[in-house]
């Protein structure tokens, strides 16, 4: 999750925007709860944490329950979830978009670990926060060469599946 | 784009510290890993051998700073980094560095304390430890950035100050500033002002290793340069040899303080935002400053005459800047992630002239802007 | 003092503060003779010391001298040697300095095999502060903080250093000063971490509590109880009880730390 936040932030720099990325994590080296916060802005960024998210990405049920429940009715927050993992939506508010990220990662790429790349592709497509070109460039800079193709494939699948959803929901994608 | 800036890049606070130290000429790092500072050691381990430098992981923080002081004695610029528990272990040798006047930068990426506390959460509880952590009545310089770019620029200042004044300089970050990534446009390396300690110009036989120039700072000969002299943590006279004569003792400790006091104009770095006419002054530093800045902006939009004094230097305390910024204020709020360490200092300096209130948060999280805005009487 | 040795002393700092009958001066004499015989350049010798009686030696010697804090001399010396490997760095410590408060630094300096010449003045007691127990005070002996005798075992510092990876380990005594000088010379020539334990007498803090307190009798005790490792085979296990081995106890080749680090830099350079 932190890597995904990092790539998004790096993509924002490539897109010429200001960006701050912070993270919250526990003592576990693997498998603990982590949260990455990214603020992208044309202007100066003062407070470095997210006050009201434009988009919340939840890759686990625990993350969804914890953060989606904080969304208030008028917030207009888009909530993107990995529907392979997050199945109980009872605690969340907001405009929920469900994509089977882990399933796509497993079925179409062959590796569950690239679910975060599927998510990143979808997130960028849905929000248009940065151009896809910048996202791919940032990803390539951060990912080891050996897994470049897998990750790029996952990223693009994320973009495609999100584009399809946009069409269905009537979100304009440029 | 500023012609003196490099390409914009995404950079982490800890990374900025390591990169700035190397840009400022640091060639030696010794330390012991601890969250949330370990990235500094990791980057130094990767980069220092590439520039002819040395990075060594020691057996503990005590030996980390000791090795840095040893390296510095040979003429190298040296840095170590740690967090609260390790900072506690370093205190004895910070005192040695002060007494023997050895340049060295000590980075403390603050986490929640006391004890093991909150290893991966921010806090600002080591402010007074930075000032008074080692025993004895000693001078100290402490700088405190609130952004990644400031982490870079203040690390360079820290190295420069330590070299110029021959004193350990403490750089206080916190978990959020250390781990936060921001877009930065770094200055071109050629444009940086880099300071090196004064070397003796006299012949070795005339060298008085602890005889200060007018600025209170004695020239420093590297070990092995032909100037054979004695270095000790005992009170010593200008020749460097131990002495407990009352006059020698008093002259030395007063000079050590004076060399920093006399340089306050250069060392005390602050930033003022709308303090010219402010009726409520917020004083803040480090990560809390980011929330305070936002809160003051919001308060101004609501018609509240708020202002912000950001402390980039914590020690010696920027007294003049505080007095100036508070000159029209009827209230001063000190926002910090502890239970009022700097508030006491602000109260001491303003001594009854203005009401001073503390805004304190000690739950492992940083202030939200609204929490400070509420303190300013703003509407949320 | 022999005229050729005078140049190594800061004569204006003498006389020293050591008590009459103390063995520290004998050990320092052996060190200076070893430095002289090996022809080291005075400007390129660094003497780092900790805190204690023996550590005051740094003030009397005319080299680059650094009197550090209790227990940390090896850690300071590690930084000095790494930052300027051309320097020959001696580290003078007492037994409390090296084995108690600085024990961790000792084992790690040995593990790294950094080219430091560690010399431990082992008088089995904390002398400067009035005779408290040290990790090298033999079991059953008295100290001001062990008035009924020491309950715990003492370290064998040479075994500790060997176990930690030191590549040159030796022990000598103030009595066997010719041998001690030779051991120090071998330590200087050795490339790697060297530890020479110098058994020395403290009549005032140790002798008075444990008897005999006469310096000559304490020196005689060293003579009678030191077993040169070359003669070890002449003794049965029972006969060795209460005695201690002297001479070169360990010598082996291994990569020295500053050379290993330089090798790393060169390797990185060639990949550039």
């Amino acid at each position: 999750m932190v890597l995904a936040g990092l790539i998004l932030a790096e993509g924002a720099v490539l897109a010429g925007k200001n960006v701050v990325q912070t993270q919250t994590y526990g003592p576990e080296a693997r498998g603990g709860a982590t949260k990455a916060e990214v603020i992208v802005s044309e202007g100066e960024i003062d407070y470095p944490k997210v006050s009201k998210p434009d988009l919340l990405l939840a890759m686990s049920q625990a993350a969804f329950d914890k953060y989606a429940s904080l969304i208030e009715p008028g917030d207009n927050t888009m909530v993107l979830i990995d529907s392979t993992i997050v199945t109980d939506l009872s605690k969340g508010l907001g405009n929920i978009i469900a994509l089977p990220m882990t399933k796509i990662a497993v079925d179409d790429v062959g590796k569950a670990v690239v679910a975060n790349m599927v998510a990143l592709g979808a997130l960028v497509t849905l929000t248009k926060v940065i151009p896809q070109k910048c996202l791919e460039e940032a990803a390539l800079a951060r990912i080891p060469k050996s897994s470049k193709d897998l990750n790029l494939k996952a990223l693009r699948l994320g973009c495609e599946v999100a584009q399809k959803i946009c069409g269905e929901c009537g979100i304009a994608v440029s | 784009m500023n012609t003196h800036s490099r390409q914009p890049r995404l950079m982490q606070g800890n990374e900025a510290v390591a990169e700035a130290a190397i840009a400022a000429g640091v060639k030696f790092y010794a330390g012991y890993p601890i969250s949330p500072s370990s990235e500094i050691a990791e980057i130094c381990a990767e980069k220092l051998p590439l520039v002819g430098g040395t990075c060594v992981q020691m057996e503990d923080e005590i030996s980390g700073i000791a090795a840095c002081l040893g390296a510095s004695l040979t003429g190298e610029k040296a840095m170590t980094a740690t967090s609260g528990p390790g900072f506690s272990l370093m205190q004895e040798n910070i005192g040695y560095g002060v007494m023997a006047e050895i340049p060295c930068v000590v980075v403390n990426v603050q986490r929640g304390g006391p004890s093991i506390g909150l290893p991966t959460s921010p806090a600002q509880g080591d402010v007074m430890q930075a000032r008074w952590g080692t025993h004895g009545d000693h001078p100290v310089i402490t700088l405190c950035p609130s952004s990644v770019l400031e982490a870079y620029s203040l690390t360079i200042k820290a190295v420069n100050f330590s070299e110029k004044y021959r004193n350990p300089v403490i750089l206080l970050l916190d978990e959020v500033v250390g781990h936060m990534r921001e877009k930065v446009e770094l200055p071109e390396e050629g444009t940086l002002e880099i300071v090196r300690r004064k070397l003796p110009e006299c012949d070795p036989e005339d060298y008085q290793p602890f005889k200060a120039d007018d600025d209170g700072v004695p020239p420093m000969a590297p070990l092995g340069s032909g100037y054979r002299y004695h270095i000790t943590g005992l009170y010593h006279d200008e020749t460097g040899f131990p002495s407990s004569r009352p006059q020698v003792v008093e002259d030395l400790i007063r000079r050590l303080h004076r060399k920093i006091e006399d340089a306050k104009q250069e060392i005390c770095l602050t930033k003022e935002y709308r303090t010219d006419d402010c009726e409520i002054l917020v004083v803040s530093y480090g990560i809390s400053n980011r929330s305070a800045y936002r809160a003051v902006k919001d308060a101004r939009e609501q018609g509240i005459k708020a202002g912000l004094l950001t402390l980039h230097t914590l020690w010696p305390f920027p007294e003049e800047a505080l007095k100036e910024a508070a000159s029209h204020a009827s209230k001063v709020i000190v926002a910090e992630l502890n239970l009022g360490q700097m508030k006491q200092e602000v109260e001491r300096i303003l001594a009854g002239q203005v009401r001073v209130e503390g805004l304190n948060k000690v739950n492992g999280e940083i202030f939200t802007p609204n929490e400070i805005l509420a303190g300013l009487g703003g509407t949320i | 003092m022999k005229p050729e040795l005078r140049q190594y002393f800061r004569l204006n700092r003498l006389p020293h503060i050591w008590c009459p009958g103390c063995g520290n001066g004998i050990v320092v004499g052996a060190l200076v003779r070893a430095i002289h015989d090996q022809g080291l350049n005075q400007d390129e010798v660094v003497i780092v010391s900790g805190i204690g009686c023996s550590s005051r030696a740094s003030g009397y010697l005319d080299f680059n001298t650094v009197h550090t804090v209790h227990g940390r001399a090896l850690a300071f010396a590690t930084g000095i040697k790494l930052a300027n490997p051309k320097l020959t760095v001696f580290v003078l410590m007492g037994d409390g300095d090296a084995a108690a408060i600085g024990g961790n630094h000792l084992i790690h300096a040995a593990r790294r095999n950094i080219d430091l010449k560690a010399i431990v003045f082992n008088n089995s007691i904390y002398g400067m502060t009035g005779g408290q127990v040290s990790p090298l005070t033999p079991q059953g002996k008295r100290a001001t903080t062990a008035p009924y005798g020491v309950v715990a075992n003492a370290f064998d510092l040479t075994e500790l250093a060997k176990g930690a990876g030191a590549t040159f380990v030796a022990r000598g005594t103030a009595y066997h000063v010719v041998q001690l000088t030779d051991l120090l010379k071998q330590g200087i020539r050795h490339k790697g971490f060297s530890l020479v334990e110098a058994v020395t007498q403290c009549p005032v803090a140790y002798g008075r509590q444990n008897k005999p307190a006469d310096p000559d009798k304490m020196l005689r005790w060293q003579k009678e109880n030191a077993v040169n490792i070359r003669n070890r085979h002449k003794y049965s296990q029972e006969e060795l009880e209460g005695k201690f081995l002297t001479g070169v106890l360990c010598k082996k080749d291994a990569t020295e730390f500053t050379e290993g680090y330089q090798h790393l830099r060169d390797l990185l350079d060639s990949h550039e």
Side-chain angles (χ1 to χ4, degrees):
Chain A
M1 193 53 114
V2 172
L3 177 66
L6 182 56
I7 290 170
L8 179 60
E10 204 126 69
V13 172
L14 293 170
K17 306 198 177 197
N18 287 323
V19 64
V20 179
Q21 181 259 328
T22 58
Q23 58 220 346
T24 310
Y25 64 103
E28 305 90 343
R30 291 282 181 276
T34 59
K35 176 173 68 158
E37 298 179 48
V38 182
I39 302 172
V40 180
S41 171
E42 300 285 350
E44 175 191 32
I45 302 169
D46 37 47
Y47 178 59
K49 294 273 182 182
V50 173
S51 309
K52 282 194 193 305
D54 294 305
L55 180 130
L56 170 71
L57 168 67
M59 302 285 289
S60 75
Q61 186 68 52
F64 179 85
D65 292 350
K66 185 167 175 189
Y67 298 112
S69 61
L70 299 177
I71 294 169
E72 289 168 15
D75 279 356
N76 211 14
T77 299
M78 187 187 294
V79 182
L80 182 58
I81 60 162
D82 181 349
S83 57
T84 321
I85 311 275
V86 183
T87 49
D88 174 7
L89 304 183
S90 62
K91 287 190 184 150
L93 275 171
N95 170 19
I96 296 174
I97 298 175
L99 292 177
M101 298 160 188
T102 299
K103 185 170 186 304
I104 292 170
V106 172
D107 292 354
D108 301 338
V109 190
K111 273 210 185 314
V113 289
V114 296
N116 60 347
M117 293 296 129
V118 177
L120 206 48
L123 178 158
V124 164
T125 305
L126 290 168
T127 59
K128 289 172 291 184
V129 61
I130 58 169
Q132 187 180 334
K133 171 171 71 68
C134 295
L135 176 68
E136 291 191 5
E137 201 182 318
L140 289 178
R142 283 283 171 181
I143 285 162
K145 276 197 186 112
S146 56
S147 60
K148 190 182 90 176
D149 293 342
L150 286 183
N151 281 284
L152 213 52
K153 188 175 178 190
L155 213 60
R156 286 177 181 164
L157 283 169
C159 294
E160 282 168 28
V161 72
Q163 228 143 11
K164 224 177 284 171
I165 290 256
C166 291
E168 287 164 16
C169 307
I171 299 175
V173 176
S174 54
Chain B
M1 198 173 84
N2 184 342
T3 49
H4 294 307
S5 297
R6 287 184 265 170
Q7 278 293 312
R9 60 184 280 200
L10 187 71
M11 198 176 216
Q12 194 186 43
N14 283 344
E15 184 186 4
V17 170
E19 296 253 350
I22 293 170
V26 166
K27 283 278 170 60
F28 190 90
Y29 181 98
Y32 190 79
I34 182 170
S35 294
S37 76
S38 297
E39 292 85 359
I40 299 173
E42 289 164 356
I43 294 165
C44 286
E46 183 192 339
K47 304 232 158 147
L48 277 172
L50 296 171
V51 296
T54 306
C55 177
V56 58
Q57 183 169 319
M58 297 297 288
E59 49 273 18
D60 54 28
E61 289 87 348
I62 299 170
S63 49
I65 183 172
C68 283
L69 294 173
S72 183
L73 287 173
T74 73
E76 294 280 35
K77 294 181 181 178
M79 178 174 85
T80 186
T82 187
S83 186
F87 193 54
S88 293
L89 290 177
M90 288 184 183
Q91 294 305 326
E92 183 190 23
N93 280 331
I94 290 175
Y96 187 84
V98 171
M99 191 61 140
E101 300 183 72
I102 308 174
C104 175
V105 173
V106 179
V107 185
N108 173 5
V109 187
Q110 294 170 95
R111 59 194 238 179
S115 189
I116 315 302
L118 292 168
T120 60
S121 299
Q124 297 179 311
D126 304 348
V127 169
M128 279 296 166
Q129 188 187 22
R131 178 63 195 90
W132 295 115
T134 193
H135 61 278
D137 196 4
H138 62 280
V140 81
I141 299 172
T142 301
L143 308 181
C144 181
S146 58
S147 70
V148 173
L149 190 59
E150 285 173 12
Y152 191 90
S153 58
L154 291 181
T155 299
I156 291 187
K157 289 269 185 208
V159 177
N160 286 349
F161 288 162
S162 79
E163 290 283 316
K164 186 167 180 181
Y165 299 107
R166 289 189 60 179
N167 207 75
V169 174
I170 295 159
L171 188 67
L172 274 189
L173 277 72
D174 58 75
E175 189 276 332
V176 175
V177 172
H179 280 160
M180 175 166 74
R181 289 183 177 85
E182 289 189 282
K183 186 179 93 168
V184 291
E185 292 175 37
L186 301 180
E188 285 289 353
E189 287 208 12
T191 65
L192 297 172
E193 191 209 350
I194 305 295
V195 178
R196 243 192 182 294
R197 64 192 71 167
K198 282 186 292 190
L199 298 172
E201 287 168 357
C202 62
D203 292 334
E205 52 270 26
D206 298 328
Y207 183 46
Q208 299 269 294
F210 293 92
K211 185 173 167 49
D213 294 339
D214 290 343
D215 61 357
V217 184
M220 183 173 182
L223 298 180
S225 63
Y227 292 79
R228 295 195 304 270
Y229 66 104
H230 188 57
I231 297 155
T232 178
L234 291 164
Y235 271 91
H236 48 274
D237 61 20
E238 291 176 342
T239 66
F241 290 104
S243 172
S244 52
R245 279 176 47 216
Q247 193 61 52
V248 169
V249 170
E250 180 154 355
D251 285 353
L252 176 56
I253 191 65
R254 285 191 184 278
R255 175 176 68 75
L256 293 179
H257 278 269
R258 200 182 60 239
K259 72 177 177 182
I260 307 296
E261 276 295 310
D262 287 355
K264 276 178 80 170
Q265 190 116 29
E266 184 194 4
I267 297 171
C268 288
L269 307 168
T270 57
K271 191 169 161 186
E272 289 79 18
Y273 174 70
R274 306 202 70 169
T275 54
D276 287 352
D277 63 341
C278 73
E279 288 167 3
I280 307 179
L281 175 70
V282 181
V283 177
S284 202
Y285 54 90
I287 191 61
S288 300
N289 174 65
R290 300 287 289 257
S291 317
Y293 175 53
R294 170 66 174 275
V296 168
K297 277 200 291 185
D298 289 351
R300 280 280 176 174
E301 274 178 22
Q302 295 180 15
I304 299 165
K305 283 190 150 182
L308 174 65
L309 175 69
T310 303
L311 308 174
H312 288 153
T313 300
L314 303 186
W315 309 113
F317 192 92
E319 295 195 19
E320 294 311 314
L322 172 66
K323 285 180 187 158
E324 172 72 27
S327 56
H328 305 290
S330 55
K331 186 161 96 171
V332 174
I333 295 174
V334 185
E336 49 188 341
L337 301 181
N338 59 52
L339 289 175
Q341 297 190 15
M342 270 308 193
K343 179 192 162 228
Q344 290 182 27
E345 193 67 10
V346 170
E347 269 177 333
R348 179 186 71 75
I349 290 157
L350 298 177
Q353 294 167 24
V354 193
R355 188 152 55 95
V356 179
E357 289 178 6
L359 204 54
N360 314 100
K361 191 164 182 179
V362 287
N363 67 352
E365 293 180 346
I366 67 173
F367 284 109
T368 65
N370 280 346
E371 285 167 344
I372 298 177
L373 183 61
L376 290 167
T379 316
I380 309 303
Chain C
M1 195 186 301
K2 285 188 180 171
E4 69 268 24
L5 298 183
R6 292 174 70 87
Q7 60 169 312
Y8 301 109
F9 287 90
R10 290 165 172 151
L11 297 170
N12 62 345
R13 304 304 306 169
L14 297 174
H16 55 67
I17 62 164
W18 297 319
C19 307
C22 171
N24 285 347
I26 300 173
V27 181
V28 171
L31 170 63
V32 165
R33 275 187 290 277
I35 289 173
H36 179 74
D37 290 354
Q38 290 304 125
L40 298 182
N41 179 343
Q42 219 160 331
D43 284 335
E44 292 178 355
V45 169
V46 182
I47 309 271
V48 185
S49 65
I51 293 292
C53 289
S54 55
S55 285
R56 287 301 181 103
S58 57
Y60 307 133
L61 295 168
D62 193 1
F63 302 98
N64 303 279
T65 55
V66 191
H67 178 232
T68 68
V69 300
H70 196 34
R72 318 301 172 199
L74 279 166
F76 278 82
T78 297
I80 291 168
K81 183 70 186 179
L82 270 167
N84 187 352
K86 282 189 297 227
L87 300 171
T88 302
V89 183
F90 294 90
V91 187
L92 275 47
M93 298 167 281
D95 44 309
D97 220 10
I101 188 167
N104 199 25
H105 310 310
L106 176 69
I107 60 175
H108 286 277
R111 172 181 66 83
R112 291 186 192 101
N113 194 34
I114 184 165
D115 190 8
L116 301 174
K117 322 294 181 194
I119 302 165
V120 179
F121 293 60
N122 175 13
N123 61 6
S124 308
I125 201 88
Y126 286 78
M128 181 170 266
T129 49
Q132 296 81 17
V133 68
S134 129
L136 269 63
T137 309
Q139 197 170 35
K141 297 292 182 185
R142 286 173 201 272
T144 57
T145 46
Y148 311 109
V150 180
V151 176
N153 252 322
F155 267 136
D156 181 331
L157 208 55
T158 59
E159 288 296 325
L160 184 72
K162 270 162 68 179
T167 47
F168 183 88
V169 180
R171 186 189 282 123
T173 80
Y175 177 83
H176 303 88
V177 67
V178 175
Q179 179 200 34
L180 180 62
T181 307
D182 179 61
L183 294 172
L184 291 168
K185 287 199 291 200
Q186 290 191 57
I188 292 170
R189 292 196 297 270
H190 179 74
K191 191 80 193 161
F193 185 76
S194 102
L195 176 108
V196 177
E197 178 185 330
V199 175
T200 171
Q201 73 280 6
C202 174
V204 172
Y206 185 83
R208 286 195 305 164
Q209 292 190 84
N210 290 295
K211 309 292 174 212
D214 300 337
D216 60 325
K217 287 185 181 145
M218 294 182 84
L219 280 163
R220 200 183 307 276
W221 177 87
Q222 291 170 21
K223 179 190 175 192
E224 286 163 1
N225 289 284
V227 174
N228 191 312
I229 188 153
R230 281 196 304 250
N231 300 327
R232 185 188 188 162
H233 62 277
K234 297 178 184 164
Y235 293 79
S236 69
Q237 203 57 43
E238 291 78 48
E239 286 170 330
L240 280 174
E241 196 63 37
K243 297 189 186 302
F244 58 93
L245 294 173
T246 59
V248 178
L249 307 177
C250 168
K251 182 166 167 42
K252 59 188 177 194
D253 288 327
T255 305
E256 192 277 324
F257 189 59
T258 63
E259 288 188 348
Y261 203 86
Q262 184 55 44
H263 181 67
L264 168 71
R265 289 192 201 108
D266 295 342
L267 215 64
L268 292 168
D269 246 5
S270 64
H271 283 282
E272 285 270 291

